[in-house]
Amino acid sequence: MEHYEGKLHQEIRFLRNSQNYLREFVYGGIDGAVTTFAVVAGAVGASLDISIIIILGFANLLADGFSMSVGAYLSAKSEKENYLKHRDIEYWEVDNIPEKEREEIVEIYRAKGFEGRLLEQVVDVIVSDRDRWVNEMMKDELEMIPESKSPFKIGLATLVSFIFVGFIPLLVYVYDYFRETTFDLFLWTSIFTGVAFLFVGWLKSFVNQTNTLKSILETLILGFVAALVAYYVGDFLETLIMNGKL
């Protein structure tokens, strides 16, 4: 019984931990689907061979996915390091200029409506604990809140979602490469990518707590406008090249 309870607690903890990185998964997935679909659309507009479409698609998928994940990792790491740097400064100020720091706590809580004896009591409680004092200064003076999420996991969630969702626009072309088909590849790619946009748009509404229909429509419009632009740019450039004007 204890074994099953322990396993259940582990699964619950895993689900909660996974939800913490849902935002990164959503935005990594949106970027992956949009950019890869745009590359495919541009290549189709330029009438490129299927093998070229696959090469361009995977090159974009892996290079952009890695770039985006590294950017997300470095951004989260810099934010965490910035918080720790300012926290160290606050610790130094509490230790070396406590009168000034106490007065800042007084001003903060006076602005919140505390006054008189109650204000003094609140301030006394806060400054009686060094860590509590610094936490109050970080939150109320600098308006900085510590990030509990791991920068590495943020980068990893972004990479996984970018590649996983971004592969969908290439799926039909990869299948056709190994097994020749007779159906319209770009049409089915658009359908599958549209379904991916629907799913990711729904997840985005869940993450941002916004209207589901609005979130889905925004994601669909963003993706298909990007693909439309890429398609006609590819078609235009192919026409110029074929006519010897470029």
mmCIF file with all atom_site columns, all heavy atoms in Angstrom, residues 203-229:
data_model
loop_
_atom_site.group_PDB
_atom_site.id
_atom_site.type_symbol
_atom_site.label_atom_id
_atom_site.label_alt_id
_atom_site.label_comp_id
_atom_site.label_asym_id
_atom_site.label_entity_id
_atom_site.label_seq_id
_atom_site.pdbx_PDB_ins_code
_atom_site.Cartn_x
_atom_site.Cartn_y
_atom_site.Cartn_z
_atom_site.occupancy
_atom_site.B_iso_or_equiv
_atom_site.pdbx_formal_charge
_atom_site.auth_seq_id
_atom_site.auth_comp_id
_atom_site.auth_asym_id
_atom_site.auth_atom_id
_atom_site.pdbx_PDB_model_num
ATOM 1   N N   . LEU A 1 203 ? -4.150  25.347 -25.737 1.00 0.00 ? 203 LEU A N   1
ATOM 2   C CA  . LEU A 1 203 ? -3.233  25.321 -24.599 1.00 0.00 ? 203 LEU A CA  1
ATOM 3   C C   . LEU A 1 203 ? -2.844  26.740 -24.181 1.00 0.00 ? 203 LEU A C   1
ATOM 4   O O   . LEU A 1 203 ? -2.726  27.038 -22.988 1.00 0.00 ? 203 LEU A O   1
ATOM 5   C CB  . LEU A 1 203 ? -1.965  24.531 -24.955 1.00 0.00 ? 203 LEU A CB  1
ATOM 6   C CG  . LEU A 1 203 ? -2.023  23.014 -24.842 1.00 0.00 ? 203 LEU A CG  1
ATOM 7   C CD1 . LEU A 1 203 ? -0.661  22.422 -25.202 1.00 0.00 ? 203 LEU A CD1 1
ATOM 8   C CD2 . LEU A 1 203 ? -2.414  22.565 -23.441 1.00 0.00 ? 203 LEU A CD2 1
ATOM 9   N N   . LYS A 1 204 ? -2.657  27.626 -25.167 1.00 0.00 ? 204 LYS A N   1
ATOM 10  C CA  . LYS A 1 204 ? -2.293  29.011 -24.866 1.00 0.00 ? 204 LYS A CA  1
ATOM 11  C C   . LYS A 1 204 ? -3.386  29.716 -24.072 1.00 0.00 ? 204 LYS A C   1
ATOM 12  O O   . LYS A 1 204 ? -3.104  30.481 -23.151 1.00 0.00 ? 204 LYS A O   1
ATOM 13  C CB  . LYS A 1 204 ? -2.001  29.777 -26.160 1.00 0.00 ? 204 LYS A CB  1
ATOM 14  C CG  . LYS A 1 204 ? -1.531  31.220 -25.946 1.00 0.00 ? 204 LYS A CG  1
ATOM 15  C CD  . LYS A 1 204 ? -0.846  31.765 -27.180 1.00 0.00 ? 204 LYS A CD  1
ATOM 16  C CE  . LYS A 1 204 ? -1.853  32.080 -28.270 1.00 0.00 ? 204 LYS A CE  1
ATOM 17  N NZ  . LYS A 1 204 ? -2.593  33.341 -27.989 1.00 0.00 ? 204 LYS A NZ  1
ATOM 18  N N   . SER A 1 205 ? -4.636  29.428 -24.412 1.00 0.00 ? 205 SER A N   1
ATOM 19  C CA  . SER A 1 205 ? -5.744  30.036 -23.665 1.00 0.00 ? 205 SER A CA  1
ATOM 20  C C   . SER A 1 205 ? -5.766  29.524 -22.231 1.00 0.00 ? 205 SER A C   1
ATOM 21  O O   . SER A 1 205 ? -6.106  30.255 -21.300 1.00 0.00 ? 205 SER A O   1
ATOM 22  C CB  . SER A 1 205 ? -7.081  29.734 -24.354 1.00 0.00 ? 205 SER A CB  1
ATOM 23  O OG  . SER A 1 205 ? -7.446  28.361 -24.190 1.00 0.00 ? 205 SER A OG  1
ATOM 24  N N   . PHE A 1 206 ? -5.381  28.272 -22.043 1.00 0.00 ? 206 PHE A N   1
ATOM 25  C CA  . PHE A 1 206 ? -5.320  27.684 -20.701 1.00 0.00 ? 206 PHE A CA  1
ATOM 26  C C   . PHE A 1 206 ? -4.194  28.327 -19.892 1.00 0.00 ? 206 PHE A C   1
ATOM 27  O O   . PHE A 1 206 ? -4.358  28.666 -18.717 1.00 0.00 ? 206 PHE A O   1
ATOM 28  C CB  . PHE A 1 206 ? -5.099  26.177 -20.818 1.00 0.00 ? 206 PHE A CB  1
ATOM 29  C CG  . PHE A 1 206 ? -4.940  25.478 -19.498 1.00 0.00 ? 206 PHE A CG  1
ATOM 30  C CD1 . PHE A 1 206 ? -6.036  25.256 -18.678 1.00 0.00 ? 206 PHE A CD1 1
ATOM 31  C CD2 . PHE A 1 206 ? -3.700  25.042 -19.069 1.00 0.00 ? 206 PHE A CD2 1
ATOM 32  C CE1 . PHE A 1 206 ? -5.899  24.621 -17.449 1.00 0.00 ? 206 PHE A CE1 1
ATOM 33  C CE2 . PHE A 1 206 ? -3.541  24.401 -17.859 1.00 0.00 ? 206 PHE A CE2 1
ATOM 34  C CZ  . PHE A 1 206 ? -4.649  24.189 -17.043 1.00 0.00 ? 206 PHE A CZ  1
ATOM 35  N N   . VAL A 1 207 ? -3.037  28.521 -20.518 1.00 0.00 ? 207 VAL A N   1
ATOM 36  C CA  . VAL A 1 207 ? -1.881  29.109 -19.834 1.00 0.00 ? 207 VAL A CA  1
ATOM 37  C C   . VAL A 1 207 ? -2.141  30.568 -19.479 1.00 0.00 ? 207 VAL A C   1
ATOM 38  O O   . VAL A 1 207 ? -1.858  31.013 -18.360 1.00 0.00 ? 207 VAL A O   1
ATOM 39  C CB  . VAL A 1 207 ? -0.623  29.001 -20.720 1.00 0.00 ? 207 VAL A CB  1
ATOM 40  C CG1 . VAL A 1 207 ? 0.510   29.868 -20.171 1.00 0.00 ? 207 VAL A CG1 1
ATOM 41  C CG2 . VAL A 1 207 ? -0.175  27.553 -20.811 1.00 0.00 ? 207 VAL A CG2 1
ATOM 42  N N   . ASN A 1 208 ? -2.700  31.347 -20.428 1.00 0.00 ? 208 ASN A N   1
ATOM 43  C CA  . ASN A 1 208 ? -2.895  32.780 -20.222 1.00 0.00 ? 208 ASN A CA  1
ATOM 44  C C   . ASN A 1 208 ? -4.244  33.131 -19.609 1.00 0.00 ? 208 ASN A C   1
ATOM 45  O O   . ASN A 1 208 ? -4.512  34.312 -19.340 1.00 0.00 ? 208 ASN A O   1
ATOM 46  C CB  . ASN A 1 208 ? -2.747  33.526 -21.555 1.00 0.00 ? 208 ASN A CB  1
ATOM 47  C CG  . ASN A 1 208 ? -1.345  33.430 -22.100 1.00 0.00 ? 208 ASN A CG  1
ATOM 48  O OD1 . ASN A 1 208 ? -0.391  33.201 -21.369 1.00 0.00 ? 208 ASN A OD1 1
ATOM 49  N ND2 . ASN A 1 208 ? -1.201  33.606 -23.408 1.00 0.00 ? 208 ASN A ND2 1
ATOM 50  N N   . GLN A 1 209 ? -5.093  32.102 -19.419 1.00 0.00 ? 209 GLN A N   1
ATOM 51  C CA  . GLN A 1 209 ? -6.431  32.325 -18.860 1.00 0.00 ? 209 GLN A CA  1
ATOM 52  C C   . GLN A 1 209 ? -7.209  33.350 -19.690 1.00 0.00 ? 209 GLN A C   1
ATOM 53  O O   . GLN A 1 209 ? -7.783  34.305 -19.171 1.00 0.00 ? 209 GLN A O   1
ATOM 54  C CB  . GLN A 1 209 ? -6.333  32.784 -17.402 1.00 0.00 ? 209 GLN A CB  1
ATOM 55  C CG  . GLN A 1 209 ? -5.723  31.758 -16.452 1.00 0.00 ? 209 GLN A CG  1
ATOM 56  C CD  . GLN A 1 209 ? -6.594  30.503 -16.310 1.00 0.00 ? 209 GLN A CD  1
ATOM 57  O OE1 . GLN A 1 209 ? -7.741  30.570 -15.875 1.00 0.00 ? 209 GLN A OE1 1
ATOM 58  N NE2 . GLN A 1 209 ? -6.058  29.355 -16.709 1.00 0.00 ? 209 GLN A NE2 1
ATOM 59  N N   . THR A 1 210 ? -7.194  33.147 -21.019 1.00 0.00 ? 210 THR A N   1
ATOM 60  C CA  . THR A 1 210 ? -7.904  34.037 -21.928 1.00 0.00 ? 210 THR A CA  1
ATOM 61  C C   . THR A 1 210 ? -8.985  33.255 -22.670 1.00 0.00 ? 210 THR A C   1
ATOM 62  O O   . THR A 1 210 ? -9.085  32.032 -22.555 1.00 0.00 ? 210 THR A O   1
ATOM 63  C CB  . THR A 1 210 ? -6.930  34.656 -22.948 1.00 0.00 ? 210 THR A CB  1
ATOM 64  O OG1 . THR A 1 210 ? -6.208  33.609 -23.616 1.00 0.00 ? 210 THR A OG1 1
ATOM 65  C CG2 . THR A 1 210 ? -5.932  35.568 -22.256 1.00 0.00 ? 210 THR A CG2 1
ATOM 66  N N   . ASN A 1 211 ? -9.777  33.968 -23.455 1.00 0.00 ? 211 ASN A N   1
ATOM 67  C CA  . ASN A 1 211 ? -10.850 33.342 -24.216 1.00 0.00 ? 211 ASN A CA  1
ATOM 68  C C   . ASN A 1 211 ? -10.301 32.295 -25.178 1.00 0.00 ? 211 ASN A C   1
ATOM 69  O O   . ASN A 1 211 ? -9.385  32.575 -25.953 1.00 0.00 ? 211 ASN A O   1
ATOM 70  C CB  . ASN A 1 211 ? -11.614 34.426 -24.994 1.00 0.00 ? 211 ASN A CB  1
ATOM 71  C CG  . ASN A 1 211 ? -12.763 33.853 -25.794 1.00 0.00 ? 211 ASN A CG  1
ATOM 72  O OD1 . ASN A 1 211 ? -12.587 33.454 -26.935 1.00 0.00 ? 211 ASN A OD1 1
ATOM 73  N ND2 . ASN A 1 211 ? -13.939 33.801 -25.179 1.00 0.00 ? 211 ASN A ND2 1
ATOM 74  N N   . THR A 1 212 ? -10.864 31.083 -25.131 1.00 0.00 ? 212 THR A N   1
ATOM 75  C CA  . THR A 1 212 ? -10.347 29.965 -25.911 1.00 0.00 ? 212 THR A CA  1
ATOM 76  C C   . THR A 1 212 ? -10.441 30.225 -27.416 1.00 0.00 ? 212 THR A C   1
ATOM 77  O O   . THR A 1 212 ? -9.473  30.031 -28.158 1.00 0.00 ? 212 THR A O   1
ATOM 78  C CB  . THR A 1 212 ? -11.102 28.668 -25.568 1.00 0.00 ? 212 THR A CB  1
ATOM 79  O OG1 . THR A 1 212 ? -10.977 28.412 -24.165 1.00 0.00 ? 212 THR A OG1 1
ATOM 80  C CG2 . THR A 1 212 ? -10.527 27.483 -26.340 1.00 0.00 ? 212 THR A CG2 1
ATOM 81  N N   . LEU A 1 213 ? -11.619 30.667 -27.874 1.00 0.00 ? 213 LEU A N   1
ATOM 82  C CA  . LEU A 1 213 ? -11.820 30.903 -29.311 1.00 0.00 ? 213 LEU A CA  1
ATOM 83  C C   . LEU A 1 213 ? -10.875 31.982 -29.821 1.00 0.00 ? 213 LEU A C   1
ATOM 84  O O   . LEU A 1 213 ? -10.265 31.833 -30.885 1.00 0.00 ? 213 LEU A O   1
ATOM 85  C CB  . LEU A 1 213 ? -13.273 31.301 -29.572 1.00 0.00 ? 213 LEU A CB  1
ATOM 86  C CG  . LEU A 1 213 ? -13.648 31.555 -31.038 1.00 0.00 ? 213 LEU A CG  1
ATOM 87  C CD1 . LEU A 1 213 ? -13.410 30.304 -31.871 1.00 0.00 ? 213 LEU A CD1 1
ATOM 88  C CD2 . LEU A 1 213 ? -15.100 32.008 -31.150 1.00 0.00 ? 213 LEU A CD2 1
ATOM 89  N N   . LYS A 1 214 ? -10.722 33.053 -29.051 1.00 0.00 ? 214 LYS A N   1
ATOM 90  C CA  . LYS A 1 214 ? -9.840  34.146 -29.451 1.00 0.00 ? 214 LYS A CA  1
ATOM 91  C C   . LYS A 1 214 ? -8.394  33.660 -29.553 1.00 0.00 ? 214 LYS A C   1
ATOM 92  O O   . LYS A 1 214 ? -7.679  33.988 -30.506 1.00 0.00 ? 214 LYS A O   1
ATOM 93  C CB  . LYS A 1 214 ? -9.934  35.282 -28.436 1.00 0.00 ? 214 LYS A CB  1
ATOM 94  C CG  . LYS A 1 214 ? -9.045  36.468 -28.772 1.00 0.00 ? 214 LYS A CG  1
ATOM 95  C CD  . LYS A 1 214 ? -9.144  37.549 -27.701 1.00 0.00 ? 214 LYS A CD  1
ATOM 96  C CE  . LYS A 1 214 ? -8.188  38.697 -28.000 1.00 0.00 ? 214 LYS A CE  1
ATOM 97  N NZ  . LYS A 1 214 ? -8.223  39.733 -26.932 1.00 0.00 ? 214 LYS A NZ  1
ATOM 98  N N   . SER A 1 215 ? -7.962  32.866 -28.572 1.00 0.00 ? 215 SER A N   1
ATOM 99  C CA  . SER A 1 215 ? -6.588  32.360 -28.566 1.00 0.00 ? 215 SER A CA  1
ATOM 100 C C   . SER A 1 215 ? -6.331  31.443 -29.756 1.00 0.00 ? 215 SER A C   1
ATOM 101 O O   . SER A 1 215 ? -5.284  31.529 -30.404 1.00 0.00 ? 215 SER A O   1
ATOM 102 C CB  . SER A 1 215 ? -6.324  31.614 -27.260 1.00 0.00 ? 215 SER A CB  1
ATOM 103 O OG  . SER A 1 215 ? -5.012  31.115 -27.220 1.00 0.00 ? 215 SER A OG  1
ATOM 104 N N   . ILE A 1 216 ? -7.296  30.584 -30.065 1.00 0.00 ? 216 ILE A N   1
ATOM 105 C CA  . ILE A 1 216 ? -7.153  29.661 -31.193 1.00 0.00 ? 216 ILE A CA  1
ATOM 106 C C   . ILE A 1 216 ? -7.095  30.429 -32.513 1.00 0.00 ? 216 ILE A C   1
ATOM 107 O O   . ILE A 1 216 ? -6.248  30.159 -33.376 1.00 0.00 ? 216 ILE A O   1
ATOM 108 C CB  . ILE A 1 216 ? -8.311  28.644 -31.214 1.00 0.00 ? 216 ILE A CB  1
ATOM 109 C CG1 . ILE A 1 216 ? -8.167  27.659 -30.045 1.00 0.00 ? 216 ILE A CG1 1
ATOM 110 C CG2 . ILE A 1 216 ? -8.352  27.883 -32.534 1.00 0.00 ? 216 ILE A CG2 1
ATOM 111 C CD1 . ILE A 1 216 ? -9.348  26.732 -29.885 1.00 0.00 ? 216 ILE A CD1 1
ATOM 112 N N   . LEU A 1 217 ? -7.991  31.410 -32.673 1.00 0.00 ? 217 LEU A N   1
ATOM 113 C CA  . LEU A 1 217 ? -8.020  32.198 -33.913 1.00 0.00 ? 217 LEU A CA  1
ATOM 114 C C   . LEU A 1 217 ? -6.723  32.985 -34.095 1.00 0.00 ? 217 LEU A C   1
ATOM 115 O O   . LEU A 1 217 ? -6.196  33.069 -35.212 1.00 0.00 ? 217 LEU A O   1
ATOM 116 C CB  . LEU A 1 217 ? -9.226  33.152 -33.898 1.00 0.00 ? 217 LEU A CB  1
ATOM 117 C CG  . LEU A 1 217 ? -10.594 32.512 -34.123 1.00 0.00 ? 217 LEU A CG  1
ATOM 118 C CD1 . LEU A 1 217 ? -11.704 33.544 -33.975 1.00 0.00 ? 217 LEU A CD1 1
ATOM 119 C CD2 . LEU A 1 217 ? -10.671 31.844 -35.497 1.00 0.00 ? 217 LEU A CD2 1
ATOM 120 N N   . GLU A 1 218 ? -6.204  33.565 -33.006 1.00 0.00 ? 218 GLU A N   1
ATOM 121 C CA  . GLU A 1 218 ? -4.949  34.308 -33.096 1.00 0.00 ? 218 GLU A CA  1
ATOM 122 C C   . GLU A 1 218 ? -3.816  33.408 -33.578 1.00 0.00 ? 218 GLU A C   1
ATOM 123 O O   . GLU A 1 218 ? -3.021  33.799 -34.434 1.00 0.00 ? 218 GLU A O   1
ATOM 124 C CB  . GLU A 1 218 ? -4.594  34.888 -31.723 1.00 0.00 ? 218 GLU A CB  1
ATOM 125 C CG  . GLU A 1 218 ? -5.394  36.100 -31.327 1.00 0.00 ? 218 GLU A CG  1
ATOM 126 C CD  . GLU A 1 218 ? -5.056  36.592 -29.927 1.00 0.00 ? 218 GLU A CD  1
ATOM 127 O OE1 . GLU A 1 218 ? -4.366  35.849 -29.182 1.00 0.00 ? 218 GLU A OE1 1
ATOM 128 O OE2 . GLU A 1 218 ? -5.499  37.704 -29.577 1.00 0.00 ? 218 GLU A OE2 1
ATOM 129 N N   . THR A 1 219 ? -3.751  32.195 -33.025 1.00 0.00 ? 219 THR A N   1
ATOM 130 C CA  . THR A 1 219 ? -2.686  31.260 -33.404 1.00 0.00 ? 219 THR A CA  1
ATOM 131 C C   . THR A 1 219 ? -2.838  30.817 -34.848 1.00 0.00 ? 219 THR A C   1
ATOM 132 O O   . THR A 1 219 ? -1.853  30.753 -35.601 1.00 0.00 ? 219 THR A O   1
ATOM 133 C CB  . THR A 1 219 ? -2.699  30.035 -32.466 1.00 0.00 ? 219 THR A CB  1
ATOM 134 O OG1 . THR A 1 219 ? -2.692  30.465 -31.109 1.00 0.00 ? 219 THR A OG1 1
ATOM 135 C CG2 . THR A 1 219 ? -1.485  29.152 -32.716 1.00 0.00 ? 219 THR A CG2 1
ATOM 136 N N   . LEU A 1 220 ? -4.069  30.511 -35.264 1.00 0.00 ? 220 LEU A N   1
ATOM 137 C CA  . LEU A 1 220 ? -4.317  30.105 -36.648 1.00 0.00 ? 220 LEU A CA  1
ATOM 138 C C   . LEU A 1 220 ? -3.952  31.211 -37.636 1.00 0.00 ? 220 LEU A C   1
ATOM 139 O O   . LEU A 1 220 ? -3.274  30.979 -38.639 1.00 0.00 ? 220 LEU A O   1
ATOM 140 C CB  . LEU A 1 220 ? -5.792  29.732 -36.819 1.00 0.00 ? 220 LEU A CB  1
ATOM 141 C CG  . LEU A 1 220 ? -6.228  28.341 -36.370 1.00 0.00 ? 220 LEU A CG  1
ATOM 142 C CD1 . LEU A 1 220 ? -7.746  28.228 -36.405 1.00 0.00 ? 220 LEU A CD1 1
ATOM 143 C CD2 . LEU A 1 220 ? -5.606  27.262 -37.243 1.00 0.00 ? 220 LEU A CD2 1
ATOM 144 N N   . ILE A 1 221 ? -4.401  32.429 -37.336 1.00 0.00 ? 221 ILE A N   1
ATOM 145 C CA  . ILE A 1 221 ? -4.142  33.555 -38.235 1.00 0.00 ? 221 ILE A CA  1
ATOM 146 C C   . ILE A 1 221 ? -2.651  33.831 -38.342 1.00 0.00 ? 221 ILE A C   1
ATOM 147 O O   . ILE A 1 221 ? -2.111  34.029 -39.442 1.00 0.00 ? 221 ILE A O   1
ATOM 148 C CB  . ILE A 1 221 ? -4.905  34.813 -37.758 1.00 0.00 ? 221 ILE A CB  1
ATOM 149 C CG1 . ILE A 1 221 ? -6.409  34.608 -37.943 1.00 0.00 ? 221 ILE A CG1 1
ATOM 150 C CG2 . ILE A 1 221 ? -4.439  36.053 -38.518 1.00 0.00 ? 221 ILE A CG2 1
ATOM 151 C CD1 . ILE A 1 221 ? -7.262  35.679 -37.288 1.00 0.00 ? 221 ILE A CD1 1
ATOM 152 N N   . LEU A 1 222 ? -1.964  33.829 -37.196 1.00 0.00 ? 222 LEU A N   1
ATOM 153 C CA  . LEU A 1 222 ? -0.524  34.058 -37.193 1.00 0.00 ? 222 LEU A CA  1
ATOM 154 C C   . LEU A 1 222 ? 0.207   33.047 -38.073 1.00 0.00 ? 222 LEU A C   1
ATOM 155 O O   . LEU A 1 222 ? 1.042   33.409 -38.909 1.00 0.00 ? 222 LEU A O   1
ATOM 156 C CB  . LEU A 1 222 ? 0.005   33.967 -35.759 1.00 0.00 ? 222 LEU A CB  1
ATOM 157 C CG  . LEU A 1 222 ? 1.536   33.993 -35.587 1.00 0.00 ? 222 LEU A CG  1
ATOM 158 C CD1 . LEU A 1 222 ? 2.088   35.344 -36.003 1.00 0.00 ? 222 LEU A CD1 1
ATOM 159 C CD2 . LEU A 1 222 ? 1.923   33.673 -34.153 1.00 0.00 ? 222 LEU A CD2 1
ATOM 160 N N   . GLY A 1 223 ? -0.129  31.771 -37.884 1.00 0.00 ? 223 GLY A N   1
ATOM 161 C CA  . GLY A 1 223 ? 0.543   30.716 -38.643 1.00 0.00 ? 223 GLY A CA  1
ATOM 162 C C   . GLY A 1 223 ? 0.278   30.792 -40.126 1.00 0.00 ? 223 GLY A C   1
ATOM 163 O O   . GLY A 1 223 ? 1.214   30.694 -40.944 1.00 0.00 ? 223 GLY A O   1
ATOM 164 N N   . PHE A 1 224 ? -0.958  30.982 -40.499 1.00 0.00 ? 224 PHE A N   1
ATOM 165 C CA  . PHE A 1 224 ? -1.295  30.947 -41.917 1.00 0.00 ? 224 PHE A CA  1
ATOM 166 C C   . PHE A 1 224 ? -0.911  32.232 -42.656 1.00 0.00 ? 224 PHE A C   1
ATOM 167 O O   . PHE A 1 224 ? -0.623  32.193 -43.849 1.00 0.00 ? 224 PHE A O   1
ATOM 168 C CB  . PHE A 1 224 ? -2.771  30.610 -42.108 1.00 0.00 ? 224 PHE A CB  1
ATOM 169 C CG  . PHE A 1 224 ? -3.058  29.150 -41.889 1.00 0.00 ? 224 PHE A CG  1
ATOM 170 C CD1 . PHE A 1 224 ? -3.734  28.729 -40.765 1.00 0.00 ? 224 PHE A CD1 1
ATOM 171 C CD2 . PHE A 1 224 ? -2.608  28.196 -42.789 1.00 0.00 ? 224 PHE A CD2 1
ATOM 172 C CE1 . PHE A 1 224 ? -3.971  27.372 -40.542 1.00 0.00 ? 224 PHE A CE1 1
ATOM 173 C CE2 . PHE A 1 224 ? -2.837  26.845 -42.587 1.00 0.00 ? 224 PHE A CE2 1
ATOM 174 C CZ  . PHE A 1 224 ? -3.526  26.430 -41.457 1.00 0.00 ? 224 PHE A CZ  1
ATOM 175 N N   . VAL A 1 225 ? -0.876  33.356 -41.951 1.00 0.00 ? 225 VAL A N   1
ATOM 176 C CA  . VAL A 1 225 ? -0.387  34.587 -42.584 1.00 0.00 ? 225 VAL A CA  1
ATOM 177 C C   . VAL A 1 225 ? 1.115   34.451 -42.872 1.00 0.00 ? 225 VAL A C   1
ATOM 178 O O   . VAL A 1 225 ? 1.588   34.815 -43.953 1.00 0.00 ? 225 VAL A O   1
ATOM 179 C CB  . VAL A 1 225 ? -0.657  35.816 -41.694 1.00 0.00 ? 225 VAL A CB  1
ATOM 180 C CG1 . VAL A 1 225 ? 0.147   37.030 -42.169 1.00 0.00 ? 225 VAL A CG1 1
ATOM 181 C CG2 . VAL A 1 225 ? -2.142  36.157 -41.706 1.00 0.00 ? 225 VAL A CG2 1
ATOM 182 N N   . ALA A 1 226 ? 1.852   33.904 -41.895 1.00 0.00 ? 226 ALA A N   1
ATOM 183 C CA  . ALA A 1 226 ? 3.292   33.683 -42.097 1.00 0.00 ? 226 ALA A CA  1
ATOM 184 C C   . ALA A 1 226 ? 3.536   32.748 -43.273 1.00 0.00 ? 226 ALA A C   1
ATOM 185 O O   . ALA A 1 226 ? 4.423   32.982 -44.109 1.00 0.00 ? 226 ALA A O   1
ATOM 186 C CB  . ALA A 1 226 ? 3.916   33.106 -40.823 1.00 0.00 ? 226 ALA A CB  1
ATOM 187 N N   . ALA A 1 227 ? 2.726   31.677 -43.355 1.00 0.00 ? 227 ALA A N   1
ATOM 188 C CA  . ALA A 1 227 ? 2.874   30.714 -44.451 1.00 0.00 ? 227 ALA A CA  1
ATOM 189 C C   . ALA A 1 227 ? 2.500   31.352 -45.789 1.00 0.00 ? 227 ALA A C   1
ATOM 190 O O   . ALA A 1 227 ? 3.156   31.106 -46.814 1.00 0.00 ? 227 ALA A O   1
ATOM 191 C CB  . ALA A 1 227 ? 1.996   29.497 -44.186 1.00 0.00 ? 227 ALA A CB  1
ATOM 192 N N   . LEU A 1 228 ? 1.463   32.179 -45.783 1.00 0.00 ? 228 LEU A N   1
ATOM 193 C CA  . LEU A 1 228 ? 1.011   32.833 -47.014 1.00 0.00 ? 228 LEU A CA  1
ATOM 194 C C   . LEU A 1 228 ? 2.087   33.769 -47.553 1.00 0.00 ? 228 LEU A C   1
ATOM 195 O O   . LEU A 1 228 ? 2.392   33.775 -48.754 1.00 0.00 ? 228 LEU A O   1
ATOM 196 C CB  . LEU A 1 228 ? -0.271  33.623 -46.729 1.00 0.00 ? 228 LEU A CB  1
ATOM 197 C CG  . LEU A 1 228 ? -1.101  34.065 -47.934 1.00 0.00 ? 228 LEU A CG  1
ATOM 198 C CD1 . LEU A 1 228 ? -1.649  32.863 -48.684 1.00 0.00 ? 228 LEU A CD1 1
ATOM 199 C CD2 . LEU A 1 228 ? -2.228  34.982 -47.483 1.00 0.00 ? 228 LEU A CD2 1
ATOM 200 N N   . VAL A 1 229 ? 2.676   34.551 -46.667 1.00 0.00 ? 229 VAL A N   1
ATOM 201 C CA  . VAL A 1 229 ? 3.753   35.460 -47.070 1.00 0.00 ? 229 VAL A CA  1
ATOM 202 C C   . VAL A 1 229 ? 4.926   34.672 -47.637 1.00 0.00 ? 229 VAL A C   1
ATOM 203 O O   . VAL A 1 229 ? 5.477   34.996 -48.698 1.00 0.00 ? 229 VAL A O   1
ATOM 204 C CB  . VAL A 1 229 ? 4.217   36.316 -45.875 1.00 0.00 ? 229 VAL A CB  1
ATOM 205 C CG1 . VAL A 1 229 ? 5.488   37.091 -46.217 1.00 0.00 ? 229 VAL A CG1 1
ATOM 206 C CG2 . VAL A 1 229 ? 3.108   37.272 -45.438 1.00 0.00 ? 229 VAL A CG2 1
#
